[in-house]
Amino acid sequence: MHVPAGMRQAYLISVPRDLLVALPAAPGFPGGQDKVNAAYEHGGGGEGGARLLSTTLTRLTGIRFDGAALVDFSGFKQVIDELGGIRMCVDTPVRSIHTKHQFDAGCQQMDGARTLDYVRQRYDLPGGDYDRQRHQQQMLRAVLDRAGETRLRTDPVKLDRVLRAAGGALTVDTNGVPLDELLFALRGLPADALRGVQVPSYPQTIDGVSYVVLDNGGGGLFTALRDTRMPQWAGANPRWVNRL
């Protein structure tokens, strides 16, 4: 998530799970070329996995991250249920490969389990994993919308209940900034100011393995991030940007 100065816009940038990257060495791992989602496993999961993933993305983008949040599926389910469910709009009908539930087109209220089932789907969708990325970005937007409706961002008591609902499934590292200060700073961020960004890339099969590779080095996205020119980049690259 990139928030430009003024904190009136935010960009949710999704890195494809199958993106081919150079993984740095880590304890017990010599490093090498692999899919980016392998970094977490090669780093040993938990803090070690997050550290190797962060280092991998820093090497890829040239950006040092200010903080991170890790949450597993059960954590997101609990947060969504604590919020009373969220409203998701299904654009393409799809049947879950996990539960066989049929998601019909249209906007509908979903609880935590149903939401996570939907946003995990990528097969039988026109854009495959790119559609899944977009649906996950939409989920985050829907969570923020629901949080705003319940005054979560201005109600520290309810916020505490939501965070406790996640329990040990949620880990937040704000790089030394108190979490309440961060939330206070972002409280005025309009939900409709969120933009979903896909890293410019395309699928490619290499030695029989399906990967995603950067399109022209990322199409200037990482440079725009480093130079704080995301609004200009987004305006010039509408193909890779979605209003959530």
Side-chain angles (χ1 to χ4, degrees):
M1 181 176 181
H2 171 66
V3 184
M7 293 181 288
R8 302 300 296 173
Q9 290 177 304
Y11 297 89
L12 297 173
I13 302 167
S14 292
V15 177
R17 55 167 284 170
D18 292 340
L19 185 67
L20 182 61
V21 296
L23 301 183
F29 174 64
Q33 296 281 318
D34 206 336
K35 298 180 179 182
V36 69
N37 69 336
Y40 188 76
E41 178 182 357
H42 287 312
E47 292 185 9
R51 191 174 301 113
L52 181 58
L53 177 59
S54 178
T55 303
T56 299
L57 293 175
T58 294
R59 175 180 290 188
L60 174 71
T61 64
I63 299 166
R64 183 179 181 275
F65 296 94
D66 298 310
L70 302 176
V71 60
D72 64 18
F73 285 128
S74 66
F76 250 128
K77 175 184 178 298
Q78 292 171 344
V79 167
I80 292 171
D81 287 341
E82 179 67 23
L83 290 172
I86 59 176
R87 186 170 177 79
M88 293 287 290
C89 293
V90 178
D91 45 12
T92 302
V94 63
R95 182 176 296 278
S96 169
I97 64 169
H98 305 107
T99 65
K100 308 306 179 184
H101 177 79
Q102 174 68 32
F103 292 93
D104 296 322
C107 296
Q108 50 205 271
Q109 189 76 5
M110 296 186 187
D111 62 12
R114 189 59 52 82
T115 300
L116 291 177
D117 189 21
Y118 173 63
V119 302
R120 293 176 67 192
Q121 304 309 312
R122 62 171 171 160
Y123 298 106
D124 296 327
L125 291 173
D129 194 50
Y130 291 105
D131 282 343
R132 177 168 63 176
Q133 293 173 43
R134 182 165 51 82
H135 295 161
Q136 291 173 349
Q137 292 172 341
Q138 290 172 340
M139 175 185 71
L140 293 174
R141 160 67 193 273
V143 168
L144 288 178
D145 281 348
R146 182 58 181 158
E149 292 170 2
T150 58
R151 300 181 60 83
L152 179 64
R153 286 178 288 181
T154 58
D155 186 344
V157 175
K158 186 167 183 61
L159 173 63
D160 182 68
R161 288 206 304 269
V162 171
L163 293 178
R164 289 180 183 276
L170 176 66
T171 303
V172 179
D173 178 3
T174 59
N175 202 21
V177 177
L179 183 59
D180 56 349
E181 289 188 16
L182 178 61
L183 293 170
F184 183 80
L186 295 178
R187 76 191 190 285
L189 181 67
D192 61 0
L194 287 173
R195 300 292 183 273
V197 179
Q198 296 178 357
V199 173
S201 54
Y202 57 90
Q204 182 175 337
T205 300
I206 302 174
D207 296 330
V209 179
S210 296
Y211 293 97
V212 171
V213 297
L214 290 179
D215 184 356
N216 190 28
L221 170 61
F222 304 140
T223 301
L225 281 169
R226 293 194 299 269
D227 296 344
T228 62
R229 293 188 297 102
M230 271 305 296
Q232 295 88 335
W233 186 90
N237 294 273
R239 173 187 176 187
W240 303 106
V241 181
N242 300 300
R243 181 186 291 271
L244 300 179

